[in-house]
Amino acid sequence: MEKIFCKKCKKEIDAEEYIRNLKVCSYCNFHDYMSARERLQITVDEGSFKEFAVEINSVDSLNFYDVKAYKDRLAEAKIKSGLNEAIITGEARLAGNKVSIGVMDFNFMGGSMGSVVGERIKILADNSIANKEPLIIFAASGGARMQEGILSLMQMAKTVSCINRINEAKIPYFCVITNPTTGGVSASFSTVADIILSEPGALFCFAGPRVVEQTIKKSVPADFGLADRNLKNGQIDMIVNRREVKPTLEKLLRLFT
Ligand SMILES: [Zn+2]
């Protein structure tokens, strides 16, 4: 039998059990990464997902090069993640309820938000408003996509203004924070949801603890930016185990619609 090791408690887990347990460690409840496709599979009703905006692809408008060309990074990310961008957007049913849903994938350039992520969220919000469907977004991001310079930072304002329109249309918007959600995504659309759910132990902050420590030359608490502390400080509304995310969203949809 194939074995894997928990990234947190390092205990050995049977691979099949680990998959059955939705990539959660049965010893320490560590929630491992999930791809956007896996996430959709455990969240929406089978066969109900219709993807849109899939034809919109990132372009290298700055001809950007750090240690590697942005064009090459994009090509590699596509192979690595099996996606063509860091978010999948579409329409689906969740326990029978029609929803507009977006799921970010950390495997695609660290879930970074560039122009295409912003545009797909805009299209998602437009669909949500046009069809009066609740909006659900699963966040997972290292922040803005630096290879797109200022264009990536503009997505913060763009996505927040989309959520403002959702609010004006009185449509509920729920965001699920997964590990990690930082930088420009934590500072934009993910923070302005009606209800913010978080998976246990998920890091959700603007700058990560190491960056903050290097900047202020002081150490930060061990639980800095983590779900328990965020809940205590009112940054999130509830911590939900992976297995309970779908039933919780279902309950919220019932309450809000
Ligand atoms: Zn563990």
Side-chain angles (χ1 to χ4, degrees), residues 117-131:
V117 170
E119 181 62 14
R120 286 189 182 182
I121 289 174
K122 187 224 167 235
I123 292 169
L124 184 68
D126 286 346
N127 182 75
S128 178
I129 293 165
N131 298 302

Side-chain angles (χ1 to χ4, degrees), residues 6 8-10 25 27-28 30:
C6 170
K8 193 176 175 199
C9 72
K10 316 287 181 213
C25 174
Y27 298 103
C28 71
F30 174 70

Side-chain angles (χ1 to χ4, degrees), residues 12 16 25 35 39 45-46 64 72 81 90 99 101 115 128 133 148 150 152 158 168 191 216 221 235 246 253:
E12 196 180 88
E16 264 177 46
C25 174
S35 72
R39 186 72 67 172
D45 300 350
E46 203 182 336
F64 192 88
D72 296 338
S81 65
V99 294
I101 186 166
S115 315
S128 178
E133 291 169 4
E148 291 188 17
I150 190 75
S152 72
K158 175 168 169 167
E168 280 161 18
T191 303
I216 65 172
Q235 180 72 19
K246 182 174 180 177
L253 286 169

